[in-house]
Every structure is written in C-alpha cells, then in structure tokens.
Amino acid sequence: AQSVTQPDIHITVSEGASLELRCNYSYGATPYLFWYVQSPGQGLQLLLKYFSGDTLVQGIKGFEAEFKRSQSSFNLRKPSVHWSDAAEYFCAVGLVSGGSYIPTFGRGTSLIVHP
Amino acid sequence: DVKVTQSSRYLVKRTGEKVFLECVQDMDHENMFWYRQDPGLGLRLIYFSYDVKMKEKGDIPEGYSVSREKKERFSLILESASTNQTSMYLCASSQQGSRSYEQYFGPGTRLTVT
C-alpha cells in the first residue's frame, strides 16, 4: 500500500541550530514530493517540491530538501533555524493521474524553537 | 495574490444539526479538495472535485457530502453533525494539468460539535 511516514511527531531545536525533518514514503514508482508548512492559525503553505532532476531542491525561507531514491526519503533541512520557523510541517507524496495530483499527507512534525 | 477563503474560522454546532462549510477560490482552478485535520493524524482527504458537479470520495467520506455548483465554490455538508466530527477542516484548490500540482489552502474552519 502507498504510504508516507513522518517519524517525528515533535522536534525541539534551539534558535540558530540546524534542522532536519524526516519523510519516508512507500510507492511503486517515484512519486511527486512536497513539503508544506502550517503556521499557527493558518492554512498550509508550499515550501518546496520535487518532481525529477537535481535531487537537492531549494525552497522558500531558506529550506532545502534532498530526495534519496535508495532510502525512499525526502528530508527537509535548514542550516540555521529562526524562532519564526516554529510551525507544523507536512510532507506530501503522490502520483499524477489524469492530469490531477491527489497527494497523501504525512501526520506532520511539530517544530518547537527555543530561544 | 491567489486566495482560498473559507466562510468561517470558528463554528459551534449542536449534535444533529446540518452544517455547511463553504470554500471559494479566485484562481479559476479546476480541482478543489476538502481535508480534515486532527492532531497526530495529519490531513485526511474527505472529498475532492475536478470539475463542476463532479466529485470523488477521498479516504474518509462517511458522514459528509459535497456540492460544487460553480467552479469557484466547493461546499462541505455534514448532514447530521456528530461530536466525532469536531475537527479542523481545510479547503484547497489546484490547477489541473499545470505541471505545478501545488495546492493552495484556505485558513481552515475549526468546527466544534456539542
């Protein structure tokens, strides 16, 4: 069965520290991969996406993610976390069918940033 | 600036009431989605629509129905609200065949059923 896993429910980091949020998937083919961020009280905003090509993708707000086919992973990274990065992060994975993309979302990782 | 709006940010209803959640997008997108978000469960797809009057069941359609009479508007209906439908509801839209596949989300409606 197709699935996406975010193993960490909560992650706590100090401001200025580096960050890595994990996302693993199980699909028959290479899916389309997204990371979204949800700030408190708001909807989801796209951080970055991977379809094909260069496996290291850059996104907004200084985030990047690396696609590793051998590990079925698409981990999100940031070299130096800011207090404003405290939010819920969702990995979304899916295939395109008939011109539409219906993703499956992970359960989310809540990022807590200590000053 | 693209925008998805939802009719209410907070809603309190009683058990057994019929509840309408409205979503409007101004981007002329073909696809629209309704998700339910619960702590620890992430986003779960209730229904989606790829055209006017067209709808497809998602992963958790039980207890819900939808209506799409106009391209820009997608409504979620709880025929008889129950306490286990207390949740955050998110609407999203995307453009068919754009090769972007990005979904644009509304701010959500937090529904409490008492």
Side-chain angles (χ1 to χ4, degrees), chain A residues 32 36 38 41 43-44 46 49 51 90 96 98-103 105 107, chain B residues 9 31 33 35 37 40 42 45 90 96-97 99-103 105-107:
Chain A
Y32 288 20
Y36 286 86
Q38 184 181 33
L44 277 69
L46 179 68
K49 60 191 175 187
F51 295 166
F90 293 95
V96 175
S100 293
Y101 174 75
I102 313 297
F105 284 83
R107 296 189 174 192
Chain B
R9 293 298 300 271
N31 299 328
F33 307 80
Y35 291 94
Q37 181 180 11
L45 182 64
L90 293 172
Q96 181 121 344
R99 296 193 59 78
S100 167
Y101 306 117
E102 176 181 355
Q103 289 178 301
F105 285 83

PDB file of all heavy atoms in Angstrom, chain A residues 32 36 38 41 43-44 46 49 51 90 96 98-103 105 107, chain B residues 9 31 33 35 37 40 42 45 90 96-97 99-103 105-107:
ATOM      1  N   TYR A  32       5.633  12.297  -6.786  1.00  0.00           N
ATOM      2  CA  TYR A  32       5.885  13.728  -6.664  1.00  0.00           C
ATOM      3  C   TYR A  32       5.877  14.061  -5.169  1.00  0.00           C
ATOM      4  O   TYR A  32       5.016  13.593  -4.434  1.00  0.00           O
ATOM      5  CB  TYR A  32       4.809  14.522  -7.388  1.00  0.00           C
ATOM      6  CG  TYR A  32       4.893  14.450  -8.896  1.00  0.00           C
ATOM      7  CD1 TYR A  32       5.582  13.433  -9.550  1.00  0.00           C
ATOM      8  CD2 TYR A  32       4.273  15.402  -9.688  1.00  0.00           C
ATOM      9  CE1 TYR A  32       5.652  13.363 -10.921  1.00  0.00           C
ATOM     10  CE2 TYR A  32       4.335  15.341 -11.069  1.00  0.00           C
ATOM     11  CZ  TYR A  32       5.030  14.318 -11.676  1.00  0.00           C
ATOM     12  OH  TYR A  32       5.086  14.264 -13.045  1.00  0.00           O
ATOM     13  N   TYR A  36       5.083  21.139   2.988  1.00  0.00           N
ATOM     14  CA  TYR A  36       4.267  22.298   3.318  1.00  0.00           C
ATOM     15  C   TYR A  36       4.521  22.689   4.780  1.00  0.00           C
ATOM     16  O   TYR A  36       4.852  21.843   5.625  1.00  0.00           O
ATOM     17  CB  TYR A  36       2.771  21.988   3.177  1.00  0.00           C
ATOM     18  CG  TYR A  36       2.264  21.885   1.763  1.00  0.00           C
ATOM     19  CD1 TYR A  36       2.345  20.692   1.061  1.00  0.00           C
ATOM     20  CD2 TYR A  36       1.687  22.978   1.123  1.00  0.00           C
ATOM     21  CE1 TYR A  36       1.853  20.582  -0.235  1.00  0.00           C
ATOM     22  CE2 TYR A  36       1.195  22.884  -0.176  1.00  0.00           C
ATOM     23  CZ  TYR A  36       1.283  21.685  -0.837  1.00  0.00           C
ATOM     24  OH  TYR A  36       0.800  21.593  -2.128  1.00  0.00           O
ATOM     25  N   GLN A  38       2.689  24.856   8.084  1.00  0.00           N
ATOM     26  CA  GLN A  38       1.457  25.444   8.611  1.00  0.00           C
ATOM     27  C   GLN A  38       1.792  26.228   9.877  1.00  0.00           C
ATOM     28  O   GLN A  38       2.073  25.635  10.926  1.00  0.00           O
ATOM     29  CB  GLN A  38       0.422  24.373   8.923  1.00  0.00           C
ATOM     30  CG  GLN A  38      -0.917  24.933   9.382  1.00  0.00           C
ATOM     31  CD  GLN A  38      -1.916  23.831   9.719  1.00  0.00           C
ATOM     32  OE1 GLN A  38      -1.552  22.764  10.187  1.00  0.00           O
ATOM     33  NE2 GLN A  38      -3.206  24.094   9.467  1.00  0.00           N
ATOM     34  N   GLY A  41      -2.707  28.849  13.315  1.00  0.00           N
ATOM     35  CA  GLY A  41      -3.904  29.565  12.889  1.00  0.00           C
ATOM     36  C   GLY A  41      -4.009  29.822  11.407  1.00  0.00           C
ATOM     37  O   GLY A  41      -4.897  30.568  10.962  1.00  0.00           O
ATOM     38  N   GLY A  43      -3.488  28.328   7.108  1.00  0.00           N
ATOM     39  CA  GLY A  43      -3.504  27.178   6.218  1.00  0.00           C
ATOM     40  C   GLY A  43      -2.093  26.758   5.860  1.00  0.00           C
ATOM     41  O   GLY A  43      -1.111  27.307   6.362  1.00  0.00           O
ATOM     42  N   LEU A  44      -1.987  25.775   4.996  1.00  0.00           N
ATOM     43  CA  LEU A  44      -0.669  25.262   4.604  1.00  0.00           C
ATOM     44  C   LEU A  44      -0.084  26.090   3.479  1.00  0.00           C
ATOM     45  O   LEU A  44      -0.795  26.543   2.573  1.00  0.00           O
ATOM     46  CB  LEU A  44      -0.797  23.808   4.143  1.00  0.00           C
ATOM     47  CG  LEU A  44      -0.803  22.733   5.228  1.00  0.00           C
ATOM     48  CD1 LEU A  44      -2.067  22.780   6.053  1.00  0.00           C
ATOM     49  CD2 LEU A  44      -0.630  21.349   4.586  1.00  0.00           C
ATOM     50  N   LEU A  46       3.210  26.093   0.632  1.00  0.00           N
ATOM     51  CA  LEU A  46       4.223  25.263  -0.001  1.00  0.00           C
ATOM     52  C   LEU A  46       5.619  25.786   0.304  1.00  0.00           C
ATOM     53  O   LEU A  46       5.908  26.966   0.118  1.00  0.00           O
ATOM     54  CB  LEU A  46       4.006  25.241  -1.510  1.00  0.00           C
ATOM     55  CG  LEU A  46       5.009  24.422  -2.310  1.00  0.00           C
ATOM     56  CD1 LEU A  46       4.841  22.936  -2.014  1.00  0.00           C
ATOM     57  CD2 LEU A  46       4.849  24.684  -3.810  1.00  0.00           C
ATOM     58  N   LYS A  49       9.222  21.509  -3.619  1.00  0.00           N
ATOM     59  CA  LYS A  49       8.684  20.309  -4.259  1.00  0.00           C
ATOM     60  C   LYS A  49       9.770  19.648  -5.091  1.00  0.00           C
ATOM     61  O   LYS A  49      10.731  20.287  -5.523  1.00  0.00           O
ATOM     62  CB  LYS A  49       7.495  20.670  -5.140  1.00  0.00           C
ATOM     63  CG  LYS A  49       7.819  21.656  -6.254  1.00  0.00           C
ATOM     64  CD  LYS A  49       6.562  22.170  -6.928  1.00  0.00           C
ATOM     65  CE  LYS A  49       6.889  23.247  -7.957  1.00  0.00           C
ATOM     66  NZ  LYS A  49       5.673  23.888  -8.500  1.00  0.00           N
ATOM     67  N   PHE A  51      10.014  16.859  -8.417  1.00  0.00           N
ATOM     68  CA  PHE A  51       9.398  16.004  -9.423  1.00  0.00           C
ATOM     69  C   PHE A  51      10.446  15.095 -10.070  1.00  0.00           C
ATOM     70  O   PHE A  51      10.220  13.901 -10.232  1.00  0.00           O
ATOM     71  CB  PHE A  51       8.712  16.830 -10.514  1.00  0.00           C
ATOM     72  CG  PHE A  51       7.548  17.636 -10.039  1.00  0.00           C
ATOM     73  CD1 PHE A  51       7.022  18.638 -10.840  1.00  0.00           C
ATOM     74  CD2 PHE A  51       6.960  17.421  -8.806  1.00  0.00           C
ATOM     75  CE1 PHE A  51       5.928  19.400 -10.417  1.00  0.00           C
ATOM     76  CE2 PHE A  51       5.883  18.159  -8.368  1.00  0.00           C
ATOM     77  CZ  PHE A  51       5.365  19.159  -9.185  1.00  0.00           C
ATOM     78  N   PHE A  90       4.457  19.426   7.049  1.00  0.00           N
ATOM     79  CA  PHE A  90       3.832  18.259   6.439  1.00  0.00           C
ATOM     80  C   PHE A  90       4.551  17.868   5.163  1.00  0.00           C
ATOM     81  O   PHE A  90       4.793  18.706   4.290  1.00  0.00           O
ATOM     82  CB  PHE A  90       2.364  18.534   6.109  1.00  0.00           C
ATOM     83  CG  PHE A  90       1.490  18.721   7.313  1.00  0.00           C
ATOM     84  CD1 PHE A  90       1.226  19.986   7.800  1.00  0.00           C
ATOM     85  CD2 PHE A  90       0.931  17.628   7.949  1.00  0.00           C
ATOM     86  CE1 PHE A  90       0.423  20.168   8.914  1.00  0.00           C
ATOM     87  CE2 PHE A  90       0.126  17.795   9.068  1.00  0.00           C
ATOM     88  CZ  PHE A  90      -0.126  19.064   9.548  1.00  0.00           C
ATOM     89  N   VAL A  96       0.644  11.433 -10.195  1.00  0.00           N
ATOM     90  CA  VAL A  96      -0.251  12.170 -11.065  1.00  0.00           C
ATOM     91  C   VAL A  96      -1.088  11.187 -11.873  1.00  0.00           C
ATOM     92  O   VAL A  96      -0.548  10.238 -12.450  1.00  0.00           O
ATOM     93  CB  VAL A  96       0.527  13.094 -12.007  1.00  0.00           C
ATOM     94  CG1 VAL A  96      -0.419  13.765 -13.003  1.00  0.00           C
ATOM     95  CG2 VAL A  96       1.285  14.129 -11.212  1.00  0.00           C
ATOM     96  N   GLY A  98      -4.352  11.273 -14.676  1.00  0.00           N
ATOM     97  CA  GLY A  98      -5.327  12.042 -15.440  1.00  0.00           C
ATOM     98  C   GLY A  98      -5.140  13.532 -15.331  1.00  0.00           C
ATOM     99  O   GLY A  98      -6.105  14.298 -15.424  1.00  0.00           O
ATOM    100  N   GLY A  99      -3.929  13.983 -15.125  1.00  0.00           N
ATOM    101  CA  GLY A  99      -3.657  15.410 -15.021  1.00  0.00           C
ATOM    102  C   GLY A  99      -3.869  15.983 -13.643  1.00  0.00           C
ATOM    103  O   GLY A  99      -3.648  17.178 -13.421  1.00  0.00           O
ATOM    104  N   SER A 100      -4.318  15.173 -12.709  1.00  0.00           N
ATOM    105  CA  SER A 100      -4.543  15.637 -11.347  1.00  0.00           C
ATOM    106  C   SER A 100      -3.574  14.971 -10.389  1.00  0.00           C
ATOM    107  O   SER A 100      -3.126  13.851 -10.619  1.00  0.00           O
ATOM    108  CB  SER A 100      -5.972  15.348 -10.900  1.00  0.00           C
ATOM    109  OG  SER A 100      -6.895  16.116 -11.627  1.00  0.00           O
ATOM    110  N   TYR A 101      -3.270  15.697  -9.344  1.00  0.00           N
ATOM    111  CA  TYR A 101      -2.370  15.193  -8.315  1.00  0.00           C
ATOM    112  C   TYR A 101      -3.135  15.157  -7.010  1.00  0.00           C
ATOM    113  O   TYR A 101      -3.578  16.193  -6.523  1.00  0.00           O
ATOM    114  CB  TYR A 101      -1.158  16.121  -8.222  1.00  0.00           C
ATOM    115  CG  TYR A 101      -0.199  15.797  -7.099  1.00  0.00           C
ATOM    116  CD1 TYR A 101       0.658  14.710  -7.189  1.00  0.00           C
ATOM    117  CD2 TYR A 101      -0.143  16.594  -5.967  1.00  0.00           C
ATOM    118  CE1 TYR A 101       1.545  14.429  -6.169  1.00  0.00           C
ATOM    119  CE2 TYR A 101       0.737  16.317  -4.949  1.00  0.00           C
ATOM    120  CZ  TYR A 101       1.581  15.238  -5.046  1.00  0.00           C
ATOM    121  OH  TYR A 101       2.460  14.958  -4.037  1.00  0.00           O
ATOM    122  N   ILE A 102      -3.308  13.975  -6.475  1.00  0.00           N
ATOM    123  CA  ILE A 102      -4.025  13.781  -5.218  1.00  0.00           C
ATOM    124  C   ILE A 102      -3.014  13.265  -4.216  1.00  0.00           C
ATOM    125  O   ILE A 102      -2.712  12.070  -4.166  1.00  0.00           O
ATOM    126  CB  ILE A 102      -5.184  12.781  -5.366  1.00  0.00           C
ATOM    127  CG1 ILE A 102      -6.017  13.103  -6.597  1.00  0.00           C
ATOM    128  CG2 ILE A 102      -6.025  12.770  -4.091  1.00  0.00           C
ATOM    129  CD1 ILE A 102      -6.712  14.450  -6.554  1.00  0.00           C
ATOM    130  N   PRO A 103      -2.444  14.135  -3.394  1.00  0.00           N
ATOM    131  CA  PRO A 103      -1.388  13.692  -2.501  1.00  0.00           C
ATOM    132  C   PRO A 103      -1.902  13.009  -1.247  1.00  0.00           C
ATOM    133  O   PRO A 103      -3.043  13.214  -0.840  1.00  0.00           O
ATOM    134  CB  PRO A 103      -0.694  15.006  -2.140  1.00  0.00           C
ATOM    135  CG  PRO A 103      -1.786  16.024  -2.188  1.00  0.00           C
ATOM    136  CD  PRO A 103      -2.711  15.572  -3.299  1.00  0.00           C
ATOM    137  N   PHE A 105      -0.832  12.965   2.703  1.00  0.00           N
ATOM    138  CA  PHE A 105      -0.040  13.747   3.632  1.00  0.00           C
ATOM    139  C   PHE A 105       0.448  12.882   4.790  1.00  0.00           C
ATOM    140  O   PHE A 105      -0.247  11.977   5.249  1.00  0.00           O
ATOM    141  CB  PHE A 105      -0.885  14.898   4.203  1.00  0.00           C
ATOM    142  CG  PHE A 105      -1.073  16.039   3.254  1.00  0.00           C
ATOM    143  CD1 PHE A 105      -2.056  15.995   2.277  1.00  0.00           C
ATOM    144  CD2 PHE A 105      -0.263  17.163   3.321  1.00  0.00           C
ATOM    145  CE1 PHE A 105      -2.231  17.042   1.384  1.00  0.00           C
ATOM    146  CE2 PHE A 105      -0.434  18.212   2.441  1.00  0.00           C
ATOM    147  CZ  PHE A 105      -1.403  18.151   1.469  1.00  0.00           C
ATOM    148  N   ARG A 107       1.673  12.641   8.815  1.00  0.00           N
ATOM    149  CA  ARG A 107       0.955  13.078  10.014  1.00  0.00           C
ATOM    150  C   ARG A 107       1.473  14.397  10.562  1.00  0.00           C
ATOM    151  O   ARG A 107       0.875  14.950  11.486  1.00  0.00           O
ATOM    152  CB  ARG A 107       1.037  11.994  11.086  1.00  0.00           C
ATOM    153  CG  ARG A 107       0.338  10.727  10.673  1.00  0.00           C
ATOM    154  CD  ARG A 107       0.221   9.736  11.819  1.00  0.00           C
ATOM    155  NE  ARG A 107      -0.585   8.582  11.407  1.00  0.00           N
ATOM    156  CZ  ARG A 107      -1.053   7.672  12.252  1.00  0.00           C
ATOM    157  NH1 ARG A 107      -0.828   7.784  13.538  1.00  0.00           N
ATOM    158  NH2 ARG A 107      -1.761   6.661  11.805  1.00  0.00           N
TER     159      ARG A 107
ATOM    160  N   ARG B   9     -14.037  30.957  10.399  1.00  0.00           N
ATOM    161  CA  ARG B   9     -12.828  30.465  11.045  1.00  0.00           C
ATOM    162  C   ARG B   9     -13.175  29.534  12.204  1.00  0.00           C
ATOM    163  O   ARG B   9     -12.480  28.567  12.470  1.00  0.00           O
ATOM    164  CB  ARG B   9     -11.976  31.625  11.552  1.00  0.00           C
ATOM    165  CG  ARG B   9     -11.381  32.491  10.472  1.00  0.00           C
ATOM    166  CD  ARG B   9     -10.430  31.710   9.567  1.00  0.00           C
ATOM    167  NE  ARG B   9      -9.311  31.126  10.272  1.00  0.00           N
ATOM    168  CZ  ARG B   9      -8.153  31.746  10.479  1.00  0.00           C
ATOM    169  NH1 ARG B   9      -7.969  32.976  10.057  1.00  0.00           N
ATOM    170  NH2 ARG B   9      -7.179  31.133  11.116  1.00  0.00           N
ATOM    171  N   ASN B  31      -9.517  21.864  -9.756  1.00  0.00           N
ATOM    172  CA  ASN B  31      -9.556  20.911  -8.646  1.00  0.00           C
ATOM    173  C   ASN B  31      -9.799  21.623  -7.323  1.00  0.00           C
ATOM    174  O   ASN B  31      -9.172  22.652  -7.030  1.00  0.00           O
ATOM    175  CB  ASN B  31      -8.225  20.160  -8.546  1.00  0.00           C
ATOM    176  CG  ASN B  31      -7.917  19.367  -9.796  1.00  0.00           C
ATOM    177  OD1 ASN B  31      -8.808  18.873 -10.464  1.00  0.00           O
ATOM    178  ND2 ASN B  31      -6.637  19.254 -10.109  1.00  0.00           N
ATOM    179  N   PHE B  33     -10.548  20.570  -2.986  1.00  0.00           N
ATOM    180  CA  PHE B  33     -10.407  19.490  -2.022  1.00  0.00           C
ATOM    181  C   PHE B  33     -10.960  19.924  -0.657  1.00  0.00           C
ATOM    182  O   PHE B  33     -10.854  21.094  -0.288  1.00  0.00           O
ATOM    183  CB  PHE B  33      -8.925  19.146  -1.813  1.00  0.00           C
ATOM    184  CG  PHE B  33      -8.153  18.867  -3.062  1.00  0.00           C
ATOM    185  CD1 PHE B  33      -7.675  19.907  -3.861  1.00  0.00           C
ATOM    186  CD2 PHE B  33      -7.864  17.565  -3.434  1.00  0.00           C
ATOM    187  CE1 PHE B  33      -6.946  19.656  -5.010  1.00  0.00           C
ATOM    188  CE2 PHE B  33      -7.132  17.305  -4.576  1.00  0.00           C
ATOM    189  CZ  PHE B  33      -6.669  18.345  -5.368  1.00  0.00           C
ATOM    190  N   TYR B  35     -10.265  18.644   3.292  1.00  0.00           N
ATOM    191  CA  TYR B  35      -9.498  17.814   4.205  1.00  0.00           C
ATOM    192  C   TYR B  35      -9.999  18.022   5.629  1.00  0.00           C
ATOM    193  O   TYR B  35     -10.487  19.090   5.989  1.00  0.00           O
ATOM    194  CB  TYR B  35      -8.011  18.186   4.179  1.00  0.00           C
ATOM    195  CG  TYR B  35      -7.287  17.855   2.923  1.00  0.00           C
ATOM    196  CD1 TYR B  35      -7.146  18.798   1.902  1.00  0.00           C
ATOM    197  CD2 TYR B  35      -6.689  16.609   2.743  1.00  0.00           C
ATOM    198  CE1 TYR B  35      -6.451  18.499   0.741  1.00  0.00           C
ATOM    199  CE2 TYR B  35      -5.989  16.312   1.588  1.00  0.00           C
ATOM    200  CZ  TYR B  35      -5.872  17.254   0.599  1.00  0.00           C
ATOM    201  OH  TYR B  35      -5.189  16.965  -0.547  1.00  0.00           O
ATOM    202  N   GLN B  37      -8.298  17.858   9.485  1.00  0.00           N
ATOM    203  CA  GLN B  37      -7.011  17.821  10.163  1.00  0.00           C
ATOM    204  C   GLN B  37      -7.220  17.573  11.646  1.00  0.00           C
ATOM    205  O   GLN B  37      -7.899  18.362  12.323  1.00  0.00           O
ATOM    206  CB  GLN B  37      -6.253  19.135   9.964  1.00  0.00           C
ATOM    207  CG  GLN B  37      -4.883  19.148  10.624  1.00  0.00           C
ATOM    208  CD  GLN B  37      -4.146  20.446  10.421  1.00  0.00           C
ATOM    209  OE1 GLN B  37      -4.712  21.439   9.965  1.00  0.00           O
ATOM    210  NE2 GLN B  37      -2.878  20.457  10.749  1.00  0.00           N
ATOM    211  N   GLY B  40      -1.996  14.601  15.321  1.00  0.00           N
ATOM    212  CA  GLY B  40      -1.397  13.281  15.211  1.00  0.00           C
ATOM    213  C   GLY B  40      -1.846  12.467  14.027  1.00  0.00           C
ATOM    214  O   GLY B  40      -1.299  11.393  13.759  1.00  0.00           O
ATOM    215  N   GLY B  42      -2.564  14.157  10.886  1.00  0.00           N
ATOM    216  CA  GLY B  42      -2.276  14.895   9.673  1.00  0.00           C
ATOM    217  C   GLY B  42      -3.531  15.308   8.936  1.00  0.00           C
ATOM    218  O   GLY B  42      -4.594  15.498   9.545  1.00  0.00           O
ATOM    219  N   LEU B  45      -8.095  13.234   3.420  1.00  0.00           N
ATOM    220  CA  LEU B  45      -8.950  13.720   2.346  1.00  0.00           C
ATOM    221  C   LEU B  45     -10.372  13.209   2.514  1.00  0.00           C
ATOM    222  O   LEU B  45     -10.603  11.999   2.614  1.00  0.00           O
ATOM    223  CB  LEU B  45      -8.382  13.275   0.998  1.00  0.00           C
ATOM    224  CG  LEU B  45      -9.128  13.730  -0.240  1.00  0.00           C
ATOM    225  CD1 LEU B  45      -9.084  15.252  -0.366  1.00  0.00           C
ATOM    226  CD2 LEU B  45      -8.514  13.083  -1.485  1.00  0.00           C
ATOM    227  N   LEU B  90      -9.991  21.915   6.311  1.00  0.00           N
ATOM    228  CA  LEU B  90      -9.201  22.712   5.371  1.00  0.00           C
ATOM    229  C   LEU B  90      -9.683  22.479   3.949  1.00  0.00           C
ATOM    230  O   LEU B  90      -9.894  21.341   3.537  1.00  0.00           O
ATOM    231  CB  LEU B  90      -7.727  22.330   5.464  1.00  0.00           C
ATOM    232  CG  LEU B  90      -7.005  22.669   6.763  1.00  0.00           C
ATOM    233  CD1 LEU B  90      -5.623  22.049   6.780  1.00  0.00           C
ATOM    234  CD2 LEU B  90      -6.900  24.173   6.953  1.00  0.00           C
ATOM    235  N   GLN B  96      -5.624  21.933 -12.726  1.00  0.00           N
ATOM    236  CA  GLN B  96      -5.480  20.648 -13.426  1.00  0.00           C
ATOM    237  C   GLN B  96      -4.452  20.784 -14.542  1.00  0.00           C
ATOM    238  O   GLN B  96      -4.454  21.744 -15.294  1.00  0.00           O
ATOM    239  CB  GLN B  96      -6.821  20.243 -14.033  1.00  0.00           C
ATOM    240  CG  GLN B  96      -6.799  18.922 -14.757  1.00  0.00           C
ATOM    241  CD  GLN B  96      -7.795  17.951 -14.164  1.00  0.00           C
ATOM    242  OE1 GLN B  96      -8.283  18.139 -13.082  1.00  0.00           O
ATOM    243  NE2 GLN B  96      -8.109  16.909 -14.890  1.00  0.00           N
ATOM    244  N   GLY B  97      -3.546  19.797 -14.607  1.00  0.00           N
ATOM    245  CA  GLY B  97      -2.619  19.739 -15.720  1.00  0.00           C
ATOM    246  C   GLY B  97      -1.615  20.867 -15.791  1.00  0.00           C
ATOM    247  O   GLY B  97      -1.011  21.113 -16.832  1.00  0.00           O
ATOM    248  N   ARG B  99       1.220  21.055 -14.260  1.00  0.00           N
ATOM    249  CA  ARG B  99       2.566  20.536 -14.003  1.00  0.00           C
ATOM    250  C   ARG B  99       3.194  21.217 -12.786  1.00  0.00           C
ATOM    251  O   ARG B  99       4.373  21.055 -12.536  1.00  0.00           O
ATOM    252  CB  ARG B  99       3.466  20.663 -15.222  1.00  0.00           C
ATOM    253  CG  ARG B  99       2.983  19.828 -16.395  1.00  0.00           C
ATOM    254  CD  ARG B  99       4.046  19.730 -17.476  1.00  0.00           C
ATOM    255  NE  ARG B  99       5.283  19.151 -16.990  1.00  0.00           N
ATOM    256  CZ  ARG B  99       5.489  17.875 -16.798  1.00  0.00           C
ATOM    257  NH1 ARG B  99       4.512  17.004 -17.014  1.00  0.00           N
ATOM    258  NH2 ARG B  99       6.652  17.435 -16.376  1.00  0.00           N
ATOM    259  N   SER B 100       2.443  22.011 -12.111  1.00  0.00           N
ATOM    260  CA  SER B 100       2.888  22.565 -10.832  1.00  0.00           C
ATOM    261  C   SER B 100       2.377  21.698  -9.697  1.00  0.00           C
ATOM    262  O   SER B 100       3.112  21.393  -8.771  1.00  0.00           O
ATOM    263  CB  SER B 100       2.391  23.993 -10.669  1.00  0.00           C
ATOM    264  OG  SER B 100       2.561  24.422  -9.328  1.00  0.00           O
ATOM    265  N   TYR B 101       1.107  21.353  -9.783  1.00  0.00           N
ATOM    266  CA  TYR B 101       0.428  20.468  -8.838  1.00  0.00           C
ATOM    267  C   TYR B 101       0.383  21.016  -7.424  1.00  0.00           C
ATOM    268  O   TYR B 101       0.015  20.309  -6.497  1.00  0.00           O
ATOM    269  CB  TYR B 101       1.057  19.063  -8.833  1.00  0.00           C
ATOM    270  CG  TYR B 101       1.107  18.464 -10.204  1.00  0.00           C
ATOM    271  CD1 TYR B 101       2.310  18.160 -10.814  1.00  0.00           C
ATOM    272  CD2 TYR B 101      -0.057  18.224 -10.923  1.00  0.00           C
ATOM    273  CE1 TYR B 101       2.361  17.626 -12.088  1.00  0.00           C
ATOM    274  CE2 TYR B 101      -0.022  17.693 -12.197  1.00  0.00           C
ATOM    275  CZ  TYR B 101       1.200  17.393 -12.774  1.00  0.00           C
ATOM    276  OH  TYR B 101       1.258  16.875 -14.038  1.00  0.00           O
ATOM    277  N   GLU B 102       0.791  22.282  -7.270  1.00  0.00           N
ATOM    278  CA  GLU B 102       0.737  22.875  -5.939  1.00  0.00           C
ATOM    279  C   GLU B 102      -0.705  23.048  -5.511  1.00  0.00           C
ATOM    280  O   GLU B 102      -1.551  23.472  -6.291  1.00  0.00           O
ATOM    281  CB  GLU B 102       1.426  24.229  -5.932  1.00  0.00           C
ATOM    282  CG  GLU B 102       1.340  24.958  -4.592  1.00  0.00           C
ATOM    283  CD  GLU B 102       2.022  26.310  -4.633  1.00  0.00           C
ATOM    284  OE1 GLU B 102       2.634  26.642  -5.651  1.00  0.00           O
ATOM    285  OE2 GLU B 102       1.929  27.036  -3.619  1.00  0.00           O
ATOM    286  N   GLN B 103      -0.981  22.738  -4.264  1.00  0.00           N
ATOM    287  CA  GLN B 103      -2.288  23.002  -3.689  1.00  0.00           C
ATOM    288  C   GLN B 103      -2.225  24.305  -2.907  1.00  0.00           C
ATOM    289  O   GLN B 103      -1.250  24.577  -2.208  1.00  0.00           O
ATOM    290  CB  GLN B 103      -2.711  21.872  -2.751  1.00  0.00           C
ATOM    291  CG  GLN B 103      -3.056  20.579  -3.478  1.00  0.00           C
ATOM    292  CD  GLN B 103      -3.433  19.474  -2.493  1.00  0.00           C
ATOM    293  OE1 GLN B 103      -2.654  19.105  -1.632  1.00  0.00           O
ATOM    294  NE2 GLN B 103      -4.642  18.956  -2.621  1.00  0.00           N
ATOM    295  N   PHE B 105      -4.148  26.452   0.002  1.00  0.00           N
ATOM    296  CA  PHE B 105      -5.033  26.152   1.113  1.00  0.00           C
ATOM    297  C   PHE B 105      -5.708  27.400   1.679  1.00  0.00           C
ATOM    298  O   PHE B 105      -5.106  28.479   1.729  1.00  0.00           O
ATOM    299  CB  PHE B 105      -4.252  25.472   2.241  1.00  0.00           C
ATOM    300  CG  PHE B 105      -3.918  24.036   1.960  1.00  0.00           C
ATOM    301  CD1 PHE B 105      -2.815  23.701   1.195  1.00  0.00           C
ATOM    302  CD2 PHE B 105      -4.726  23.028   2.455  1.00  0.00           C
ATOM    303  CE1 PHE B 105      -2.514  22.370   0.928  1.00  0.00           C
ATOM    304  CE2 PHE B 105      -4.433  21.695   2.203  1.00  0.00           C
ATOM    305  CZ  PHE B 105      -3.327  21.373   1.435  1.00  0.00           C
ATOM    306  N   GLY B 106      -6.923  27.213   2.155  1.00  0.00           N
ATOM    307  CA  GLY B 106      -7.587  28.225   2.942  1.00  0.00           C
ATOM    308  C   GLY B 106      -7.091  28.186   4.371  1.00  0.00           C
ATOM    309  O   GLY B 106      -6.340  27.287   4.757  1.00  0.00           O
ATOM    310  N   PRO B 107      -7.538  29.140   5.214  1.00  0.00           N
ATOM    311  CA  PRO B 107      -7.052  29.222   6.598  1.00  0.00           C
ATOM    312  C   PRO B 107      -7.665  28.184   7.531  1.00  0.00           C
ATOM    313  O   PRO B 107      -7.174  27.995   8.643  1.00  0.00           O
ATOM    314  CB  PRO B 107      -7.462  30.626   7.025  1.00  0.00           C
ATOM    315  CG  PRO B 107      -8.659  30.929   6.185  1.00  0.00           C
ATOM    316  CD  PRO B 107      -8.423  30.254   4.868  1.00  0.00           C
TER     317      PRO B 107
END
